Amino acid sequence: MKNKILNRLKNMIFGSSALLICLSLFSFKSEHSIKKDTVVNSFKLRTIIIDPGHGIKPEGAPPGHYSRGASGSFSSERNVTLAIALKLQKALEKDVAGVKAVLTRTTDDDVSWERRAEIANQNKGNLFISIHCNSLSDRIVRERIGTRKRKPVYRTVRVPDRSGKGALMLIYGLHRSKEEENAIKNNQVEEDSDLNGDALDPNDPMVIILTNEYKRKFRKQSVNIANFINDEFVQTDGRRSEGLREQGIFVLCHSAMPSVLVETGYINNPDDEEYLNSENGQNEIVNSIVRAVSNYKNQLEQVATN
């Protein structure tokens, strides 16, 4: 098992210094050597998981977390995300060579958060893109309704907050890194070992090293894809964006791969809602994500020499 994991480490770690430290600390032998002045990234982007957020919880659905999503004045988040995801699946498979796109749902029926992550991991995804629409909660304001004994009388009312506008990229919050580590151990590290049905030893130094290296790599790649998508929205489409944020999102930290949640716009903002439901708006969003994925893929798969 150690030799197989060690070979995986050698493919993942850029440069020879980190590997040499690992070798000296743990005295593991390998049949292969690393060329000192060459950095080779053997990663291939083959399977992209597209996750249309939310849905209608079906009768008799298995236990888990479900959410119907937000609503605008005439549309629902679950319908918008599915329409964009279906278009995105076709466009990625057509325009990005060698890529297969897998959807976590294809109908109005909701899929639990747990099942979405499971679909991503079972399909050996290399990238997880979750499609959502943003929305702001109502504001609570005090409204004067009259006077009593020469003193103003107020009541508290809820007022829709339609001030949000534009896109937002989310990656998993570091406070949930333990969940990310467990997902990596269960879905990545086991793939890199000869277990023959035996459980991984969580205290094995090489398991710890490989898990941490995957976590580091996936974090960096999550930030990269989020920035690529954000740049396309802003620089190519001229849209407003709130940039990149961390958030404790279940499907992101339970999917053992680089992952990003794309808030495509504020569905409770009239202008954004029109854009999100228009054919032109959806196509623009899809085309931007496809360009971003192409740039991300090219960056990952290139071979660089020092």
Side-chain angles (χ1 to χ4, degrees), residues 49-291:
I49 310 300
I50 304 171
D51 177 48
H54 307 287
I56 301 173
K57 184 178 179 180
E59 188 174 347
H65 293 84
Y66 297 85
S67 172
R68 293 176 65 89
S71 296
S73 61
F74 65 86
S75 65
S76 299
E77 179 180 6
R78 60 182 179 270
N79 295 327
V80 172
T81 60
L82 182 58
I84 292 173
L86 289 169
K87 289 183 172 71
L88 181 58
Q89 180 189 36
K90 292 180 180 178
L92 284 171
E93 293 186 339
K94 175 178 177 290
D95 297 332
V96 184
V99 160
K100 177 179 73 171
V102 176
L103 289 168
T104 59
R105 72 176 176 98
T106 57
T107 68
D108 290 338
D109 288 349
D110 197 6
V111 176
S112 71
W113 303 349
E114 293 84 353
R115 179 58 185 150
R116 291 169 188 266
E118 189 177 68
I119 290 170
N121 293 325
Q122 286 177 344
N123 282 276
K124 312 297 181 190
N126 307 123
L127 176 62
F128 185 90
I129 302 175
S130 192
I131 305 296
H132 286 253
C133 302
N134 220 336
S135 182
L136 291 178
S137 301
D138 291 346
R139 292 184 294 114
I140 306 298
V141 299
R142 295 179 70 211
E143 180 183 71
R144 183 170 179 173
I145 58 174
T147 304
R148 186 177 182 181
K149 295 181 180 181
R150 297 182 180 180
K151 294 183 179 180
V153 177
Y154 296 90
R155 69 175 179 181
T156 301
V157 295
R158 300 178 70 89
V159 177
D161 186 353
R162 308 191 191 284
S163 62
K165 186 177 179 64
L168 171 66
M169 308 300 121
L170 299 175
I171 60 174
Y172 82 89
L174 289 175
H175 65 287
R176 301 190 73 164
S177 61
K178 285 296 181 184
E179 293 165 85
E180 172 77 0
E181 288 177 12
N182 289 335
I184 289 171
K185 286 177 183 176
N186 293 334
N187 296 283
Q188 289 287 352
V189 179
E190 286 188 2
E191 287 292 310
D192 298 330
S193 60
D194 295 316
L195 290 173
N196 297 320
D198 295 329
L200 284 173
D201 178 2
N203 297 317
D204 187 319
M206 290 309 295
V207 170
I208 294 171
I209 292 169
L210 186 58
T211 299
N212 287 334
E213 183 59 23
Y214 268 121
K215 187 169 69 170
R216 182 201 64 79
K217 184 180 77 168
F218 290 168
R219 181 72 172 184
K220 179 180 178 181
Q221 292 176 355
S222 296
V223 171
N224 285 349
I225 185 61
N227 282 327
F228 275 127
I229 296 172
N230 189 70
D231 287 347
E232 288 295 335
F233 284 162
V234 174
Q235 297 175 14
T236 304
D237 301 335
R239 297 190 65 205
R240 177 182 174 184
S241 173
E242 296 177 351
L244 171 62
R245 295 181 193 167
E246 291 183 1
Q247 194 163 313
I249 298 170
F250 185 99
V251 292
L252 299 186
C253 64
H254 284 259
S255 299
M257 62 200 70
S259 56
V260 60
L261 187 148
V262 182
E263 297 281 12
T264 54
Y266 281 83
I267 198 168
N268 70 334
N269 175 290
D271 293 336
D272 271 11
E273 184 178 17
E274 289 285 350
Y275 178 82
L276 292 170
N277 282 273
S278 69
E279 194 73 14
N280 178 67
Q282 291 182 3
N283 288 337
E284 197 167 80
I285 290 168
V286 166
N287 291 337
S288 284
I289 295 176
V290 170
R291 287 192 300 270

